[in-house]
Structures are given as structure tokens and as C-alpha cells.
Amino acid sequence: MQSPRMRFLSGVRLLRRSLCSTATTTETRSQKLERIADELLDLNKLERHDYAVLFRFKLGLNKYGPAISGLDSSASASAGGGAAGTDSKATEKTAFDIKLEKFDAAAKIKIIKEVRTFTDLGLKEAKDLVEKAPIVLKKGVTKEEANPIVEKLKELGATVVLE
């Protein structure tokens, strides 16, 4: 039985053979793909989740609308003109980050269990995450998704904010 890495690399080799015509270009592309694959395999669960969200966003596959092309141009437009700044304030924020500010020490175990319910983290990762408070627990959630999570964490004795 092949490991996921070996299956990935064999798929890359097949793709490389079908797409590339010259040997030198093929070698540099395969090295780059192998390096990227190694870096992706070294990520922990939280980093993989963040990467998946970012990758979907860059491809325009996120559920908050199409990807924004040219972030630099939008930043310079809001900094340059006063009218553009008022327009951006008028638009409503759709994606929020759930940030754990602090928590009651007596409720630490309950908070860790609750964090595990809305993330796909293991016990150790969730414990490490909660102990790093103040920290963002979940990024890019809608207000409808975030409100029940925030309410539950507040009931357990945590101070949570939406950013």
C-alpha cells in the first residue's frame, strides 16, 4: 500500500510527462512540486485548515463571493480617496474571526472540549490553542455560524469577541 506522499508524487510524475516537453523544464518543475508537497505535509492541522481556506479564497471557490483580484489596488484606492473610504465603510462585513480573549481557569477543560467541536483539532492541539489566549480560534466564519459558538463559549466562562 502506497503512502499519500508516494501516490501524490507518482501523480505528479504522470502529469509532468504529459505536460512538459523538455527535460530541463521538467526537472525544475518536479523539484518545485516535490518541495511544495513536502512543505504541505509538514503542516499541522490548524495550518492545513488555514492553507485550505486561503487556497480556496485565491481560486475564488470561497462561500463569501468571488476572489478579489488586485488587493494592492483596492488598498491604494481606499488610502488615496475620501469617497472610496466611505464606500468601504458602507459595505457590511461578511467574514468574521472568533477570538478567545481570556477564560476562567475552572472552565478550561470545558472550553477545550467546545473548541474541539467546531474545529477538527485533536485534544493536544486544542489544549495548546486555548492556552495561547488571546488567540483567533476560527477565521472567516459568517455571523450566523459564529454567534452560536460565541454564545456557548461565553456560557462556559470565556471572553470571546468577533473581529
Side-chain angles (χ1 to χ4, degrees):
M1 177 147 189
Q2 287 184 333
S3 70
R5 180 173 184 228
M6 295 305 294
R7 284 187 300 218
F8 175 78
L9 291 176
S10 64
V12 167
R13 287 183 189 108
L14 286 172
L15 183 65
R16 180 184 69 206
R17 285 184 200 133
S18 64
L19 293 177
C20 300
S21 59
T22 63
T24 58
T25 314
T26 305
E27 192 60 36
T28 59
R29 285 184 184 171
S30 67
Q31 288 173 351
K32 181 179 178 181
L33 290 174
E34 285 185 32
R35 180 183 51 80
I36 292 170
D38 288 337
E39 288 177 16
L40 289 174
L41 290 171
D42 289 338
L43 298 177
N44 65 31
K45 280 186 176 181
L46 187 60
E47 291 170 331
R48 274 184 266 160
H49 176 266
D50 289 344
Y51 170 76
V53 170
L54 177 65
F55 189 69
R56 279 187 230 119
F57 181 76
K58 293 263 187 186
L59 288 176
L61 300 175
N62 60 343
K63 55 186 168 184
Y64 306 114
I68 302 170
S69 61
L71 291 175
D72 295 331
S73 62
S74 65
S76 63
S78 64
T86 57
D87 289 343
S88 65
K89 290 178 184 176
T91 60
E92 192 171 321
K93 188 174 180 181
T94 57
F96 295 91
D97 296 340
I98 301 173
K99 183 176 183 182
L100 175 67
E101 294 278 318
K102 58 184 177 178
F103 59 91
D104 185 22
K108 180 179 176 181
I109 295 172
K110 292 178 184 177
I111 292 170
I112 292 170
K113 287 180 181 179
E114 184 62 29
V115 167
R116 288 189 66 204
T117 62
F118 64 87
T119 61
D120 57 347
L121 297 176
L123 182 61
K124 184 179 183 330
E125 290 90 2
K127 178 182 176 278
D128 293 341
L129 187 67
V130 169
E131 288 177 344
K132 290 180 184 176
I135 191 163
V136 174
L137 297 175
K138 194 161 184 173
K139 296 179 182 179
V141 295
T142 63
K143 194 161 192 147
E144 293 80 27
E145 292 176 44
N147 282 337
I149 296 170
V150 170
E151 293 301 318
K152 181 67 176 175
L153 288 172
K154 285 183 179 179
E155 286 176 18
L156 296 175
T159 305
V160 184
V161 294
L162 286 180
E163 293 183 335

